[in-house]
Amino acid sequence: MKLTFLGAAQTVTGSRYLLEAGGKRLLIDCGLFQGPRNLRRRNWDPLPFAAETLDAVILTHAHIDHCGYLPVLVRNGYRGPVYCTPGTADLCEVMLRDSARLQEEDAAFANRHGFSKHHPALPLYTSEDAEAALRLIGPREFDVPVSLGEDLSFRLLPAGHILGAASVVICCGHTVVAFSGDLGRPDDPLMRAPAPPVHADYLVVESTYGDRLHAARDPEDELAEMFARTFARGGLVVMPCFAVGRAQEILYYIARLKESGRMPNVPVFLDSPMAISVTDLYRRHMRDHRLTLSQLHVLDHAAFMTRTVDDSKAIASRSGPMIIIAGSGMATGGRVLHHLGLYASDPHNTIALVGYQAPGTRGATLEAHAPAIKLHGDYVRVRAEVSSISSLSAHADYRETLRWLAGMTCPPVRTFVTHGEPAAADALRRRIVETLHWDCCVPEFGETVELPEAPVRDSPSGTAQARLPNPLEHNP
Ligand SMILES: [Zn+2]
């Protein structure tokens, strides 16, 4: 059995792991590299294997750094199945179509302005490529074993994080390899707690927050204070927001604050067609989250859902306090740019940053309290308050990750720490070694490791496997 780390090795994007087991070749996650140019360039590198030689792709979840490379794989000849949960399948439709549209827009922009050394500049993939990829998706329910061949099967376990997110447990003979995917938080108000596999011989675990603990503050309090400050001075709030997960979480908190009378009943606009579509999906996947139908009903009515461009433009004709939630989450594009252009220069207003702002993005410029931001070619002065709400996160911190790991009944033979910047990955590795005393390493990009078959463990009665818990189950 062999495992090759084709992405998310000492970085947080481009999750792709090639597992060769039981005579089959499986790709676990098929993500885009995002962020700095040197990473994004890897999306254009030739595949290190012939796409048609893969037997199956298994996706942990629908974030683009986990599924966004799928259209390239399909364009290069992959025709096999793509497995994921039903929630991930539905989200992939939203995410991959949006990603293809952005790729096409970027290429068109480069051609108009002569940015690219390629003539014409081509998109990484097109909408047709995305549709071809979507046609290969075969949803599989959580907790149901799926056979991939003789003595080879997998199962998806709930990982919290976002709708449909899963950990993947693969059984080859009596050897078990598990991939955590992105782990959510045990006490998330919307998403269920991630469930660790009972046992794995080899484990790949994410480390986004391997060197950090989340702020102990209650996000509801942080938001309440920011809203109160802004409305007391007669301002409004512009909130660049991720469409998947974060927008719904913000609506949840706003609904609670209004219900408890901790904030005035100001109008709220969810000005993101993508976030509106994602909010609709919560109703179709009730097992994936903690919200009841009546809570979803409240969420649906917590904001005016502005789907059309005309509805979006009409927001500007209003005056008085209000909250405008719009994409994109790092203010790199989308409708939020229009609102920033209108409202960033007024010191009464607040720009609320409610998610991670990657270096080099407009959101990071705002977070660093730059005096101006560039919008559509012009500089706009930032005189609004810029407020970062730090207590919101869809990722487990290191203490929560250790708790998830400790839920396994016996230590893996080897644990691989991925999906973290080098300092975060190494910090989690050290903590796993010191706290759990597990054999643990941080793999390099492109590294291949041999995974020897796990020894058959004898029970006291001598019956192989008799004492082992079923690795395909999980701890509740
Ligand atoms: Zn994710």
Side-chain angles (χ1 to χ4, degrees):
M1 201 184 286
K2 268 199 311 200
L3 176 61
T4 305
F5 299 89
L6 298 173
Q10 306 191 18
T11 183
V12 291
T13 66
S15 281
R16 299 171 203 167
Y17 309 107
L18 178 67
L19 181 68
E20 294 163 85
K24 305 269 183 186
R25 291 157 67 82
L26 314 176
L27 191 67
I28 291 83
D29 276 343
C30 189
L32 268 196
F33 285 99
Q34 295 173 302
R37 188 186 298 269
N38 62 328
L39 280 181
R40 279 184 286 132
R41 206 175 285 139
R42 286 185 187 166
N43 293 322
W44 296 88
D45 289 346
L47 292 170
F49 52 83
E52 65 272 16
T53 64
L54 279 181
D55 294 288
V57 176
I58 307 171
L59 301 178
T60 60
H61 65 291
H63 274 146
I64 283 299
D65 61 315
H66 292 259
C67 74
Y69 191 70
L70 205 52
V72 180
L73 194 71
V74 174
R75 198 187 52 217
N76 277 281
Y78 180 67
R79 296 291 177 270
V82 177
Y83 298 113
C84 62
T85 65
T88 297
D90 276 353
L91 274 180
C92 275
E93 287 197 15
V94 179
M95 304 295 276
L96 290 183
R97 284 176 183 151
D98 183 68
S99 177
R101 185 182 54 79
L102 291 175
Q103 304 287 348
E104 288 169 336
E105 282 176 9
D106 282 354
F109 187 80
N111 286 327
R112 271 201 309 278
H113 294 84
F115 278 173
S116 174
K117 55 178 187 283
H118 306 284
H119 301 288
L122 295 173
L124 180 61
Y125 51 82
T126 63
S127 296
E128 291 82 67
D129 297 327
E131 294 303 324
L134 289 169
R135 284 194 288 275
L136 298 181
I137 292 182
R140 293 292 186 273
E141 296 290 343
F142 281 118
D143 299 320
V144 177
V146 180
S147 173
L148 295 169
E150 202 181 329
D151 259 0
L152 185 67
S153 63
F154 77 92
R155 193 158 176 155
L156 302 166
L157 306 182
H161 188 52
I162 62 166
L163 214 62
S167 300
V168 180
V169 182
I170 297 169
C171 284
C172 180
H174 54 262
T175 306
V176 181
V177 188
F179 298 81
S180 71
D182 285 4
L183 291 173
R185 307 184 63 184
D187 303 314
D188 192 283
L190 270 64
M191 302 312 297
R192 292 190 194 288
V198 170
H199 142 257
D201 298 298
Y202 300 100
L203 174 68
V204 178
V205 64
E206 71 123 329
S207 60
T208 312
Y209 287 96
D211 56 351
R212 268 171 290 172
L213 292 176
H214 293 313
R217 292 212 62 194
D218 184 344
E220 200 169 310
D221 293 340
E222 268 198 281
L223 288 167
E225 287 165 20
M226 182 266 294
F227 291 144
R229 261 195 328 267
T230 309
F231 301 145
R233 58 177 185 248
L236 55 83
V237 176
V238 176
M239 194 181 278
C241 190
F242 297 102
V244 182
R246 189 55 41 83
Q248 294 74 31
E249 202 177 351
I250 294 291
L251 290 183
Y252 167 84
Y253 284 121
I254 287 176
R256 280 176 60 101
L257 287 169
K258 284 189 175 179
E259 197 179 86
S260 62
R262 291 182 71 197
M263 69 176 275
N265 194 20
V266 302
V268 179
F269 297 92
L270 185 59
D271 191 22
S272 159
M274 194 169 162
I276 298 167
S277 302
V278 173
T279 309
D280 289 343
L281 289 180
Y282 277 58
R283 213 173 279 278
R284 289 182 56 169
H285 302 284
M286 294 300 289
R287 275 188 67 197
D288 290 16
H289 57 79
R290 298 183 200 259
L291 298 177
T292 62
L293 277 174
S294 61
Q295 285 174 312
L296 283 175
H297 182 77
V298 172
L299 220 66
D300 287 341
H301 293 80
F304 296 108
M305 307 286 179
T306 50
R307 284 184 191 272
T308 66
V309 174
D310 284 345
D311 285 348
S312 174
K313 284 183 176 162
I315 298 172
S317 63
R318 302 181 72 110
S319 55
M322 57 180 157
I323 300 167
I324 305 166
I325 305 164
S328 69
M330 300 186 204
T332 48
R335 292 182 180 180
V336 80
L337 299 189
H338 175 69
H339 300 298
L340 288 172
L342 285 173
Y343 301 117
S345 57
D346 184 340
H348 296 94
N349 298 336
T350 296
I351 300 165
L353 301 175
V354 294
Y356 174 69
Q357 307 297 322
T361 60
R362 205 178 274 107
T365 308
L366 285 165
E367 198 170 38
H369 298 283
I373 48 170
K374 202 170 181 185
L375 287 171
H376 305 123
D378 293 321
Y379 280 97
V380 174
R381 281 186 65 81
V382 181
R383 296 170 69 212
E385 172 189 339
V386 177
S387 175
S388 296
I389 306 295
S390 57
S391 50
L392 293 159
S393 178
H395 282 272
D397 63 20
Y398 72 74
R399 194 185 291 148
E400 292 164 340
T401 303
L402 287 171
R403 213 162 106 193
W404 182 85
L405 293 167
M408 296 171 67
T409 49
C410 49
V413 177
R414 192 129 212 236
T415 298
F416 303 94
V417 179
T418 61
H419 200 289
E421 294 301 330
D426 194 56
L428 185 66
R429 180 196 62 79
R430 267 188 292 111
R431 287 194 171 96
I432 292 173
V433 171
E434 286 162 13
T435 318
L436 300 168
H437 312 292
W438 292 4
D439 182 341
C440 189
C441 67
V442 179
E444 302 273 339
F445 174 59
E447 185 178 345
T448 298
V449 287
E450 286 283 347
L451 307 180
E453 262 185 47
V456 178
R457 302 171 201 210
D458 290 338
S459 73
S461 64
T463 315
Q465 296 280 294
R467 273 187 303 127
L468 270 182
N470 181 351
L472 288 178
E473 285 176 359
H474 65 82
N475 291 331

